[in-house]
Structure formats: structure tokens, C-alpha cells
Amino acid sequence: MEKKNEIDWSQLTLDMDDYLPLRDVVFNTLRQGILHGLLPPGLRLMEIQLAKQLGVSRTPVREAIRMLELEGLVNTVPRKGAEVAEITQKDLHDVLEVRCALEELSVELACKSITPEELSQLHKALYTFKELVPSGDVNALAECDVKFHDIIIQSTRNKRLIQLLNNLREQMYRYRLEYLKDLSAHELLVKEHQTILTCLEQRNVEGSKRIIREHINQQYEDVIQNLKNHF
């Protein structure tokens, strides 16, 4: 199903990098468009249209689409061509299963290493999220949600864990957006973030791990329900 009417093509612009081949610049542009919801699941990726929009030839667009296919973000459908991959229950389960394990470890380490300054940053991030809830601005809320979790991750001081979760964050972004489209979930997120913060302040390892599990499992259930309702 195509969703052309929902797309603001003016947002799809190349962020040029003198050190990258044009193919990679196009790839990064389209990848961010998919992950951030600008290019929605099911959208046909027309080489001519994309080349015209980005101001490039069809060759780097074609190469970028092949790279996106290798990442699982694009599928090639016989007689239809390339289209943005749908969000499947299996993909969502796999990503959130890994995220849950890594974030449980992150809050366990954070309980031992988080500083008063970082706790203060979490309070500010939580306050900002609360202030944004009435606006219903899904993209702003997603960025704020990312910031809240990033403060916790950075507080672990574990460089390898930080790297793994940063890589996973990109893959998580479009699932996060799908979850936040449900406006009824916003107040629950505020409560869950508050509980996470309280557990970290109390250095409560088991409580932190439990609420993170509940937090991520709730997202899984809500996104799956949203997808069922949509289709």
C-alpha cells in the first residue's frame, strides 16, 4: 500500500559528505528516511523519482537501494520493484529481545556508576517529556525518549555496551515512532520513566531491571496491536 500523500518530499535532501562516495550519501539519506518514518513501510521506491528529488543520477540510487535491501530495510517485489520493508512481528521481536537484554545490563551497571549530575539530567529529560505530552508531537517525543535512555547508557562507562546500544538505537527508531503514535501510551511512558529514575536513585538493581523489562515488553505489545489495527 502506497502512502505518497503522507510524505513531505521536501524533507528528503542529501547531506553531502566529501569523504563518502555518492552512493553512500544516498544510502544514508534513504536509510534515515526509512528509520525516521519519512519513507513509510510499503512505499515503492521509484529510482527516477528519488534521483530527481535528490538531484543525482539513477545509478547511486540503484546501488543505495541494493544496500538497503541487504540491511532488510527494503524488499524487491516481483513485477513491482523495490519498496520499504514492512514492520513484521518477527523483526520487532528480534530487535526488542536484544534491546531488553542490553538495557537490563545497562541499568544494572548504571545503578553502580550513575552520578548525581547524570541523575539530574534524567530529571530534566523526564520533565521535558512531560511537557511535550500535550503536544502529541511524536518525533519530538521520540527524540526525548532516546535522550532519556542515552543518559542511562552513557552512565555505564562501558564503551562496548554503549556502542552496541547506539547501533541498535538506529534500528529501533521506527519501532519507537510506531509505539508513540498511540497517544494513550504517552502518560504510561512518563510513569515508567519516573519509576526507572526512582530505582536508579535508590540503586535498586532488581527494580531497575524489572521495570526495563516491563517497559520494553509494553512497547512490543502496543506496536503489535497497532500494526494489527492498521492492517
Side-chain angles (χ1 to χ4, degrees):
M1 178 173 60
E2 294 189 36
K3 305 177 183 178
K4 293 180 182 178
N5 293 335
E6 300 176 14
I7 299 169
D8 181 0
W9 288 103
S10 66
Q11 295 185 39
L12 192 68
T13 56
L14 286 183
D15 184 12
M16 295 303 296
D17 187 326
D18 293 337
Y19 297 99
L20 287 178
L22 185 56
R23 171 201 63 195
D24 292 346
V25 175
V26 174
F27 165 74
N28 289 333
T29 299
L30 296 179
R31 186 174 187 271
Q32 289 303 308
I34 293 170
L35 293 175
H36 288 250
L38 174 62
L39 304 177
L43 177 74
R44 287 187 66 190
L45 297 176
M46 310 292 290
E47 288 181 13
I48 295 176
Q49 180 185 30
L50 290 171
K52 182 178 179 181
Q53 174 62 35
L54 297 174
V56 299
S57 70
R58 292 176 63 180
T59 299
V61 172
R62 186 181 305 115
E63 292 173 343
I65 288 174
R66 287 174 183 160
M67 293 166 69
L68 289 165
E69 192 170 8
L70 290 174
E71 277 208 353
L73 291 174
V74 165
N75 293 324
T76 297
V77 182
R79 294 184 297 279
K80 287 183 66 178
E83 62 180 36
V84 177
E86 300 286 354
I87 297 174
T88 68
Q89 185 167 345
K90 180 64 166 63
D91 289 339
L92 177 63
H93 177 270
D94 289 351
V95 170
L96 289 183
E97 189 172 51
V98 175
R99 181 191 170 196
C100 189
L102 294 178
E103 291 228 22
E104 278 192 52
L105 176 58
S106 73
V107 292
E108 180 178 353
L109 296 176
C111 279
K112 304 170 186 176
S113 60
I114 197 165
T115 66
E117 181 182 357
E118 287 164 335
L119 289 170
S120 177
Q121 291 172 8
L122 283 177
H123 275 286
K124 291 176 182 176
L126 177 58
Y127 176 79
T128 302
F129 193 96
K130 286 180 182 177
E131 291 293 295
L132 281 170
V133 166
S135 74
D137 187 334
V138 172
N139 285 289
L141 285 164
E143 292 294 341
C144 194
D145 186 35
V146 168
K147 181 176 178 59
F148 183 88
H149 286 275
D150 276 355
I151 294 167
I152 297 171
I153 294 163
Q154 292 295 327
S155 77
T156 66
R157 315 284 185 263
N158 185 312
K159 292 182 180 179
R160 194 63 66 189
L161 177 61
I162 292 169
Q163 182 182 40
L164 288 170
L165 279 164
N166 282 344
N167 291 339
L168 191 63
R169 177 179 60 191
E170 287 290 299
Q171 298 176 48
M172 265 299 304
Y173 202 89
R174 70 176 184 156
Y175 302 125
R176 182 178 260 115
L177 283 177
E178 196 65 35
Y179 176 53
L180 287 167
K181 288 178 185 176
D182 180 4
L183 301 184
S184 65
H186 297 176
E187 291 294 343
L188 177 59
L189 266 174
V190 170
K191 293 177 182 177
E192 289 174 341
H193 282 182
Q194 180 62 69
T195 304
I196 293 168
L197 175 52
T198 299
C199 287
L200 289 173
E201 288 178 320
Q202 296 172 348
R203 313 288 170 169
N204 181 346
V205 173
E206 291 307 313
S208 296
K209 292 169 71 173
R210 185 189 69 253
I211 187 60
I212 279 290
R213 279 196 303 273
E214 293 173 359
H215 181 59
I216 294 174
N217 287 338
Q218 185 65 48
Q219 289 185 36
Y220 174 77
E221 296 297 333
D222 280 9
V223 172
I224 291 301
Q225 190 58 51
N226 287 348
L227 293 176
K228 288 179 179 176
N229 291 340
H230 183 71
F231 295 106

